[in-house]
Amino acid sequence: MPPEVTLHPVQRPADDDALVDFISAHEYPFHMTTRPTADDVRSRIASGSFDAPEHAAYWVVADGRRVGVATLEDLEDDAPLFDLRLANDARGRGLGVPTLQALTREVFERFPAVNRFEGQTREDNIPMRRTFLRAGWVKEAHYRDGWPVAGGDPVASVAYAILRRDWETGKTTPVPWDDEPGPRGN
């Protein structure tokens, strides 16, 4: 049985120090900034990266403890995105799917005008790519060299989404890849 995951809103400014401590304490190998400093996080807080109306931040809680931070982004658009940062010791414990399901539920229940919810990851982040699929999301794009890598060559960015109707029915609508017009192959 997968662990139960709940989302608890980050209370700003009361949780600012805890947010700084949590995010700067861990490494995120598949994020653009893999090891954010306390100053990096404070800068994000000051710029409004966790604040309404454009953002909403949540503590990801499992087994009675904070195991991650999830941020909904672009909430004033019709297709918001998310950022997920799990603690080092929380990865590989089966928390990805229930976390993504909880975020999806939050978006579609709290924001009735939203019809699609999107996410992206690097092509080499196989655990997250599997998480998207297991949570009922569909791969919609593969952007070659679309993800900058500090000190290295860019890698592809892979985009996934879930539609409100898929979430409501529990049925995944596949992307019709075979309807591309024009010549096939070389």
Side-chain angles (χ1 to χ4, degrees), residues 56-89:
Y58 300 89
W59 295 109
V60 179
V61 177
D63 301 324
R65 72 179 188 95
R66 292 176 177 167
V67 296
V69 175
T71 308
L72 300 176
E73 302 171 348
D74 300 332
L75 288 171
E76 292 187 313
D77 296 345
D78 58 0
L81 298 153
F82 73 94
D83 177 63
L84 175 61
R85 295 171 187 269
L86 292 178
N88 297 338
D89 65 350

Side-chain angles (χ1 to χ4, degrees), residues 108 115-117 136 140 161-168 173:
F108 288 138
N115 187 47
R116 57 183 284 114
F117 184 30
E140 294 186 339
I162 188 167
L163 302 177
R164 176 180 291 279
R165 70 175 176 260
D166 289 359
W167 173 73
E168 289 173 343
T173 306

Side-chain angles (χ1 to χ4, degrees), residues 25-97:
H26 302 283
E27 185 172 354
Y28 310 97
F30 297 108
H31 280 73
M32 292 197 195
T33 303
T34 59
R35 187 70 188 199
T37 66
D39 286 341
D40 293 335
V41 182
R42 283 189 198 94
S43 178
R44 288 186 62 209
I45 290 170
S47 72
S49 293
F50 301 97
D51 297 327
E54 193 66 20
H55 302 87
Y58 300 89
W59 295 109
V60 179
V61 177
D63 301 324
R65 72 179 188 95
R66 292 176 177 167
V67 296
V69 175
T71 308
L72 300 176
E73 302 171 348
D74 300 332
L75 288 171
E76 292 187 313
D77 296 345
D78 58 0
L81 298 153
F82 73 94
D83 177 63
L84 175 61
R85 295 171 187 269
L86 292 178
N88 297 338
D89 65 350
R91 296 181 204 133
R93 293 185 36 217
L95 299 172
V97 171

